[in-house]
Structure formats: structure tokens, C-alpha cells
Amino acid sequence: MISIHASEKQLNIKGKHFLTLADFSSDVIKGILAKAQKMKNASYTGEDPKPLNGKILGMIFEKSSTRTRVSFEAGMLQLGGHALYLNSNDLQLGRGESIADTAKVLSHYVDAIMIRTFSHQTIKELSSHASIPVINGLTDLYHPCQALADLLTIQENKGTFAGQKLCYIGDGNNVAHSLMIASAKVGMDITIASPAGYEPNAAITKLAMQFAEASGAKIDITNNPLEAVEGADAIYTDVWTSMGQEEENDQRKKVFSSFQVNKELVQYGKKDFVFLHCLPAHRGEEVSAEIIDGPHSAVFQQAGNRLHVQKALLSEIL
Ligand code: CP
Ligand code: NVA
């Protein structure tokens, strides 16, 4: 019998929505990463280098973006397709047309929708009324495309997930949630350190714990950054104030002041730790310049990987 390598398995996700990694098996997630790595490899030509010839991705943005917007647009072009940037303020959505009607109309024009929105409920509603795949480009609860890029970057730097300890320092936000689900799925240990009252969402933590039980990963949530970073192979942080929380900025700067990733903190991690950040970053707040711009930082490799994981995802879903 011919054995099929995991990376060459049929992923069977054509036509599926991509709202959270919780909906995908560990095999599918690893399969997307394997395909992304192949696509990133300069020698990769693929079975069909333009698998999305003539396909159109509609990209709805209710919030700002550099990486998500440009990597999805460039990715679609590289795959032979096209992407439409749709600012929600310029759509009738901005004047009160419903999400349901928007989903039904766009389903006649484009082949998939990527949306960056506030409430996760909005993307759920959009996907329930769309007859085409809907991809999450960030909601208040999740940022799954980012987590795929994070996993690929860890795999590239550490070679494996098993036995690795990822440490996330900061707000228990969308990025932390997706990272926690992603780690639990692939069997990587994760410790999250947040100030009291800013821990990850309890229901999402419970869900991640269930996945961790199946994969053998360990999840720890603490309020102590020193304890969290102890022996970490990867140290990750994100902004203290996410988009939509701007009025809390002053308060958050005070609450998070002892949660900066700096040279004092990282000395508790492994000597060869890799530093990750989804970007955009605020040097001097969640991370010091010497860490994000220092030798351990892989943040631009990580940003670059958004392109490759999303190309793999798009080519499997569309
Ligand atoms: N990391 C990320 O999603 O960046 P953008 O906000 O620039 O898209
Ligand atoms: N947590 C951040 C991530 C930005 C990519 C935000 O939601 O603004």
C-alpha cells in the first residue's frame, strides 16, 4: 500500500467557512501549514500554480489593516485570482443595509468573502447567509489567519510543536484566543500571562482545554509574567489596546505596565527563544525596541508568513 504523507492528504475543506481554528482538525491545520511551506519554497511550482484563476475574493473591512489587506490581495493575485477591497463605510452596510442582505448579494458576485469586523456575531451572521466561503480577517474574539502564520513561524524556527512552550504575555484578546486554540490543536504547550481582569475569555479557554486534552498540550493561565516566561521557547505579545478600545488606552497603559516584554523578562525564557508579535507594535509599551528589533525577533518573517498560509488556505477553501 502506498502511504500518503500528511502534507499530501486531501484536506476536504472546499467551500467551508474559516471563522475559527476550533472548527478544524489538527490534521487539517497541519495540512494547511505543510501546503503553505511548500508554496513558500522557491522551488514550488505546484500542480497548478494558478489554482484560483478567475476567482474573486471580496474583502470587507470595518477596521484598519496593513498585513491582512495586502497579504490577501497579493495572495489572490499570485494564485491567479482577484481581490476587491470593500471598506464597510463605502458599502450600503455603512448606511444600515443588513449583514444578511449583504451576504446574499455578495454571494452572486464573488467567490469568497474575507471580513474584518468588530463583533464575532457579525461574521457568524454573514456566514450563515452567504452561499460562499467566509474567512475571518479578525473579530473581537478571534484572529485565525494570524494564528496560522504564528504556527508556521514557530515550526520554521523550532522544527516541531511537541515539547515546545509558547508564552503569551499581555491582553487576553482575539490574538491570544486564536493562539491558545491553535496551540491546543497542534499539541504545543501555551502559558498566557495577563493582568487580573484581562485574562482570555473563559468559554474559549474551556474549549481550548478540551482540544488540549485530546492533543496532550498543556494550557496555563496566570497573572504572573515571570512565571509564564520560565523556560519558554517562543515569547509572544500583542498591543495592550486593540482596535475599538481606544478610549481605554490610558487605563490599559497603567494596568499592563508590568507586562512589557523586555530584556529583564526574556532572561527567564530559553536562551534560544524566538520573539513573536502579530504587529502593529508599540515599542516602549508591550515590547521594548531592543527585543522586537533584536536578534531573537522573527516578527517580519511572521508577517511574511501571513501571505503563505492564506494562499494555502484560499487554494484549499475556494
Ligand atoms: N496582524 C495583522 O492582522 O495586521 P493588520 O492589522 O495590519 O492586518
Ligand atoms: N489585538 C489587535 C490585533 C491587531 C492585528 C487588535 O484587535 O487590534
Side-chain angles (χ1 to χ4, degrees):
M1 200 164 119
I2 301 164
S3 81
I4 301 171
H5 188 266
S7 65
E8 292 162 52
K9 270 186 196 160
Q10 280 294 325
L11 300 183
N12 290 325
I13 57 170
K14 244 346 123 226
K16 285 213 184 320
H17 299 307
F18 186 75
L19 308 191
T20 161
L21 287 172
D23 298 338
F24 294 85
S25 69
S26 152
D27 273 357
V28 167
I29 294 169
K30 289 178 178 168
I32 295 170
L33 296 178
K35 185 159 190 180
Q37 193 69 71
K38 264 183 150 186
M39 290 178 125
K40 184 174 177 178
N41 187 324
S43 66
Y44 178 75
T45 51
E47 312 77 53
D48 178 3
K50 301 275 182 216
L52 300 188
N53 208 1
K55 302 268 187 198
I56 302 171
L57 175 72
M59 309 189 298
I60 305 176
F61 282 91
E62 289 184 353
K63 298 174 175 176
S64 308
S65 171
T66 297
R67 281 143 289 268
T68 304
R69 176 180 174 178
V70 180
S71 57
F72 266 105
E73 185 160 345
M76 279 303 288
L77 294 178
Q78 290 173 14
L79 294 169
H82 192 84
L84 300 173
Y85 172 73
L86 307 167
N87 186 307
S88 62
N89 291 325
D90 300 331
L91 296 175
Q92 296 288 10
L93 196 57
R95 294 180 57 248
E97 186 168 18
S98 73
I99 278 285
D101 286 0
T102 303
K104 288 175 196 168
V105 170
L106 291 183
S107 296
H108 287 276
Y109 302 149
V110 299
D111 299 284
I113 301 170
M114 191 280 293
I115 181 166
R116 168 166 287 195
T117 184
F118 287 89
S119 162
H120 194 71
Q121 196 49 43
T122 304
I123 197 170
K124 279 170 114 177
E125 199 182 335
L126 186 82
S127 62
S128 74
H129 293 282
S131 57
I132 53 173
V134 171
I135 298 170
N136 186 349
L138 182 145
T139 65
D140 284 354
L141 286 189
Y142 290 116
H143 198 1
C145 295
Q146 181 64 53
L148 285 178
D150 303 340
L151 288 180
L152 182 61
T153 312
I154 292 170
Q155 197 172 57
E156 286 179 331
N157 283 277
K158 299 293 172 189
T160 177
F161 297 125
Q164 296 295 305
K165 176 180 171 181
L166 168 61
C167 161
Y168 174 94
I169 304 282
D171 192 19
N173 61 16
N174 43 13
V175 167
H177 293 155
S178 285
L179 209 51
M180 184 164 59
I181 299 280
S183 302
K185 285 274 181 178
V186 302
M188 176 167 55
D189 295 345
I190 180 166
T191 303
I192 297 183
S194 309
Y198 294 85
E199 295 94 348
N201 173 295
I204 295 174
T205 304
K206 197 171 157 202
L207 184 64
M209 298 257 184
Q210 286 165 15
F211 297 138
E213 208 164 303
S215 71
K218 228 172 88 204
I219 299 179
D220 284 308
I221 313 285
T222 171
N223 300 123
N224 183 341
L226 292 186
E227 184 187 309
V229 92
E230 185 83 48
D233 299 281
I235 302 175
Y236 197 123
T237 190
D238 183 18
V239 290
W240 292 338
T241 302
S242 284
M243 292 180 277
Q245 300 172 330
E246 287 75 11
E247 73 288 352
E248 297 174 26
N249 194 28
D250 290 345
Q251 168 70 6
R252 282 173 171 269
K253 274 190 189 167
K254 285 185 209 141
V255 174
F256 283 85
S257 61
S258 57
F259 285 74
Q260 186 186 75
V261 176
N262 52 33
K263 77 170 191 299
E264 286 73 38
L265 186 66
V266 301
Q267 66 183 338
Y268 296 94
K270 288 245 180 80
K271 278 201 166 52
D272 63 346
F273 78 92
V274 60
F275 174 73
L276 302 171
H277 191 308
C278 59
L279 304 179
H282 293 84
R283 287 167 176 78
E285 291 186 22
E286 75 274 7
V287 60
S288 66
E290 64 184 339
I291 296 299
I292 194 168
D293 300 319
H296 291 270
S297 180
V299 299
F300 297 112
Q301 176 187 355
Q302 183 186 4
N305 281 339
R306 289 290 301 275
L307 176 73
H308 308 294
V309 294
Q310 288 159 196
K311 280 171 72 179
L313 177 71
L314 288 164
S315 65
E316 287 295 328
I317 277 185
L318 264 80

